Amino acid sequence: MGYLILILTIVVYLIRPAEWIPALYFNWNMVLNGLGLIAIAGIAINKNKASSYDRTTLFLIWFICSMMLSNIINGQFYTIGTYFTQVLSTLIIYLLTQATIQKPKQIDNFILLIICLILFVCFQCYLQYTTGANWGGLEPISRSLSEIDPITGLSISRELQVVWFGILQDPNDLGMLLIAFMPYIVNRIFYQELPFIKKIFWLLAFLSIAYTVILTNSRGSMLSLIGGLACFYIIKKRSMTGYVVAGFIALALLAVAPSRMGEIGSGDYSAMGRVYAWILALELLAMSPIFGIGATHFLDYHSLTTHNSYVLALVENGLLGFFGYLSISVIAIYTMIKVAYTIEDKKRSSEVISLVSGMLGILISIFFISRTYVLLPYLYIAIMMTYIRVYCPELHKQYINKLSTVKLIAITLGFVVFIYIFNRLATTLLI
């Protein structure tokens, strides 16, 4: 029953039927979250079932508690209510994924379901781009004028960016979803022994998603796609061959990249705005380094968000919260790579590498957008951890607790230094 609730929750979360089908208008998320809580409670009191939660779950809870503590320390009690429902939903889906998926067939079907939902969104984006609107009447957004008539001064054409409903109503968010499972799909095409018809399905899926990434006209999404696929070959090959293949992938994708990929430079207002936001964020962090300025409160100090999920997590929740936020990803990636290099089954190892590469693509994506509190990165980590727990339970136990707290603290502080140096370099180059 819990697995069915999880599936329905993901379908509603991604397809958003209530937002474009009038007959289905209802707060389905609230109902499904309630059912999810009941399912989690039922599993918890079932003495015959061992706990499926791991260390990443504890750090997610740490991060959520740090968010609330940051607001309390700053006297922002009213703020907690504005985001509590969202983070509670994230926690419920995270716990539900780990608790209800217990068999290899379940995790495989769950990943396939998400990819099929992504393909449905791709089809809707294609309709949006070619006909002007999708089934729900949603039109592509027009980012800016791409060509001006020199005589009349009127627009000849506009740069269009496809979007979807709800949480995907931004090309960058849509792009983050699109690129998440691309390394997994590449692995299915080239490194898994599948019937010819299935190979064709995965190839068409790759082409459809890659085309939709281009239609988002998002620089961050394209860089994330390149990064995710490059990481797949670098981690898999563990040799110069991986870097060569990754380089060819980057060149091929850049050849068909959105026109905005060529706009990065000192004249790029978007890039410069982010640099100014970072400068202010680091100044605010220096004023309150432990607890931050309060979750969701950066816009109180600046008209533009940081456009970087790590910087936003750091300045709003301080070092205490950032430690939890970063550790979730660090533990997941470390564990997945260790398992991939230890497992004897080469095909299974390749699949594990494809999943962790998708996560690295997501981490690249959120380096360019402020999505510290959205579900997708956490859901993907839950899928990764569940995958290796189901397929490689002994290796999961062996490596999940391998990184000590001291090492995680050192990595967190090292990343803060990296953010500072990156900001100083960006400031020098763009301003």
Side-chain angles (χ1 to χ4, degrees), residues 203-214:
L203 178 60
L204 291 175
F206 177 87
L207 294 174
S208 299
I209 296 173
Y211 177 65
T212 310
V213 171
I214 294 172

Side-chain angles (χ1 to χ4, degrees), residues 74-91:
N74 286 282
Q76 302 155 345
F77 300 96
Y78 66 93
T79 304
I80 297 174
T82 62
Y83 65 73
F84 184 75
T85 302
Q86 179 183 356
V87 296
L88 178 62
S89 177
T90 296
L91 181 60

